[in-house]
Amino acid sequence: MKQSLGNAVQDFCGTWKLLREESNYSLGSPPASGTYNIKLVGEKVLFHVSWEEQNEQTYQVEFSGIPDGEKHPFKGQGVNFVMYEITADGKFISAAYKDRNILNEATRSLSADKTQMFVTQRILGQDGQLHANYSVYSKE
């Protein structure tokens, strides 16, 4: 991994707490609470996302990948390719594909002081359309 890319990834690393009141979901409503943990291990970026819904049911998901901007084969959950990328303007994008179709794409960006992370997640809905959820996180 290039040094500049590693530095860009490091800016996203840490534990982030959901700011529910600043988030806006087109599918459903934002969770009651949530955390986003990102860390760099070798060339791979590891994500652990957990959240609690309004009904107090809890969920978590873990995923990882190399942020090289290339599609990599993936097996499971109806996904056959994943891609992770840091763009020239500092956005951190991850995407899951079924063939050529995006099933889920998250674009992360940071505030100028790197204390807030803004996440726009596009999700393929049951209606066949991509819906966007916007979440704001504060670094713990």
Side-chain angles (χ1 to χ4, degrees), residues 28-130:
S29 60
S33 64
T35 57
Y36 215 114
N37 187 280
I38 303 171
K39 60 180 150 177
L40 181 61
V41 178
E43 290 190 338
K44 267 193 172 177
V45 179
L46 308 175
F47 296 85
H48 178 90
V49 183
S50 60
W51 65 98
E52 181 177 331
E53 294 292 348
Q54 301 298 326
N55 63 6
E56 299 181 5
Q57 191 166 5
T58 59
Y59 299 91
Q60 63 180 347
V61 62
E62 292 182 331
F63 51 99
S64 64
I66 300 170
D68 58 7
E70 297 181 21
K71 285 185 182 178
H72 293 273
F74 183 85
K75 293 183 181 179
Q77 304 164 354
V79 172
N80 55 11
F81 293 101
V82 294
M83 186 274 303
Y84 299 86
E85 172 182 30
I86 300 282
T87 64
D89 61 352
K91 290 182 173 66
F92 195 157
I93 300 171
S94 59
Y97 298 86
K98 174 67 176 169
D99 302 320
R100 294 179 182 215
N101 299 316
I102 291 178
L103 300 178
N104 188 319
E105 178 185 67
T107 301
R108 301 162 196 84
S109 60
L110 299 173
S111 61
D113 64 2
K114 300 178 182 167
T115 61
Q116 289 191 319
M117 180 172 64
F118 311 102
V119 181
T120 301
Q121 185 175 20
R122 295 187 318 147
I123 304 161
L124 185 64
Q126 292 181 347
D127 60 2
Q129 301 297 312
L130 285 171

Side-chain angles (χ1 to χ4, degrees), residues 3-17:
Q3 182 64 27
S4 60
L5 182 58
N7 290 341
V9 171
Q10 284 295 345
D11 290 341
F12 287 92
C13 290
T15 300
W16 302 85
K17 182 178 179 181

Side-chain angles (χ1 to χ4, degrees), residues 12-27:
F12 287 92
C13 290
T15 300
W16 302 85
K17 182 178 179 181
L18 178 69
L19 299 176
R20 182 186 194 286
E21 64 280 0
E22 296 184 35
S23 301
N24 183 13
Y25 281 32
S26 65
L27 287 176

